[in-house]
Amino acid sequence: MSQDSISPVRPNFPFLHASGFKARQKIENLRHHIQNLERPNWLQNQNLFSLGIPEIDQHLPTRGLLPNALYEVLPERTTDIGASTGFCTALLFALLKYRDGRILWCLNSSNTDVGEIYPLGLVQHGLDPTRLLTVRTKRDIDTLWVIEETLRSNTFTAVLGEVQKVSMTASRRLQLAAEKNDVLALLLRPAMKSPSPSAATLRWRVKATISQPKGFAADLDEPGDACWSVTLFRSRGGTSGNWLTEWSDETSNLTLAASVCD
């Protein structure tokens, strides 16, 4: 007797295939439903703003900057705090082009050594000083309290605080308050090799690089526009990246800079 004659024959009923298809479809629908439940609300936000550099937007999970999230900016070295401050100013200027409002800047020079705010420097980076309110604090706990109360006040479009130490719990409170009250929160922190974990949506490192004089500045051997190496080292739901950027004083916007030759 052949092997085929004693092998069990599996009936080929059409309804069995239909039942299997429906089961697979139900499983796919369930997976899709679970993904939507686990998807953070900030990923569904369509009210975005941009620095005007598509190469940066492509690395972000929402393909743009959220106006209601917590961001951290750190200098690469202690001497790069000026570049980090300039990048924060560029972020605030980009936000104000999308949404009108006022900004609270919480100063604590003992943490970052930023020094005093120079109004003409803000103007050079596109930020109107009349939209700025400054508060001075001495301790991180006071700075974090001011930031959180500002986020919940519904009075400002953004708040920037100079902070040295931020716990995971404190950063989570700021992220939730920013998201709930639709306000941007920026933390300007000092240089450190290994910053502690944070709930911030985006975390940046900024380093000053050689400027590239153009036109009369090159002829007169004068410095060019501010040039920064910007590294996105943490992006929730996105990817990290590094860009050589340049602030254009003529057009008041941030652009990608050409590579600098040695």
Side-chain angles (χ1 to χ4, degrees), residues 111-129:
N111 286 339
T112 57
D113 196 24
V114 172
E116 297 295 331
I117 293 179
Y118 184 50
L120 292 181
L122 296 179
V123 173
Q124 186 177 3
H125 286 85
L127 192 60
D128 185 359

Side-chain angles (χ1 to χ4, degrees), residues 155-213:
T155 305
F156 295 88
T157 301
V159 53
L160 187 153
E162 301 171 10
V163 183
Q164 183 176 24
K165 296 181 180 180
V166 184
S167 66
M168 186 65 179
T169 301
S171 65
R172 182 60 177 165
R173 288 176 62 92
L174 296 181
Q175 170 62 35
L176 292 175
E179 182 178 346
K180 181 179 180 180
N181 298 279
D182 201 22
V183 182
L184 179 66
L186 277 176
L187 296 183
L188 179 57
R189 306 187 63 188
M192 58 186 72
K193 292 183 179 180
S194 301
S196 58
S198 171
T201 303
L202 303 177
R203 304 181 82 179
W204 310 81
R205 284 190 187 274
V206 184
K207 179 175 67 174
T209 60
I210 301 174
S211 63
Q212 304 176 58

